[in-house]
Amino acid sequence: MQPLRSAVTALVMAITLIFSGVALADGHQQERSLYDRLGGAYSIATVVDDFIERLLVNDVLNANPAIKASRDRVPKAGLKFRVTLLVSQVTGGPDTYTGRNMKDSHVHLSITKNEWDAMVVDFKKTLAKFEVPEKEQQELLDIVESTRADIVMPGQ
């Protein structure tokens, strides 16, 4: 039993070393993708799950009748799946998001600046809960911020 355990441990260590950062031929290190630094699909799905659960009970967001109606219509498991695919894609992962773009999927919700800010607060709480490192948090927040103009109503 011990030799098998040792072999498995050695294999895991070898795989970790191979994927922990690719050394280029000239000796420089190439930074891993944000997707990889976040821990890949399972870690991203776990964070998305927590984040969506926070949004579903956010009183500021639920005060918007359009958001509430959308939540009642869209199965939360499907929403979590789509958001996980989207996060994977925009962080350099292998998945491809095939849903509607941010503008088309949010225009009917009439999201205000106040609602956007409430969402960002929840996102930061989720990132803190899972102890996402500061650098990766900032990269994720920059990605989210890049969608603001497509999501928040003009003039808000």
Side-chain angles (χ1 to χ4, degrees), residues 81-155:
F81 175 74
R82 291 273 189 191
V83 173
T84 298
L85 288 177
L86 178 62
V87 173
S88 173
Q89 178 178 313
V90 301
T91 59
D95 297 308
T96 301
Y97 171 75
T98 59
R100 295 182 294 165
N101 64 45
M102 292 299 100
K103 188 171 192 163
D104 291 343
S105 61
H106 292 87
V107 68
H108 66 286
L109 302 176
S110 301
I111 294 176
T112 66
K113 179 187 179 310
N114 188 45
E115 292 161 349
W116 173 269
D117 292 343
M119 176 277 301
V120 171
V121 166
D122 279 346
F123 188 51
K124 287 179 179 180
K125 286 179 184 176
T126 291
L127 296 177
K129 174 182 176 178
F130 290 100
E131 300 177 355
V132 175
E134 188 63 37
K135 178 182 178 189
E136 285 73 16
Q137 281 192 38
Q138 190 56 57
E139 288 179 56
L140 288 166
L141 289 166
D142 289 346
I143 291 167
V144 169
E145 181 61 31
S146 74
T147 67
R148 178 195 287 258
D150 289 337
I151 295 174
V152 176
M153 286 187 332

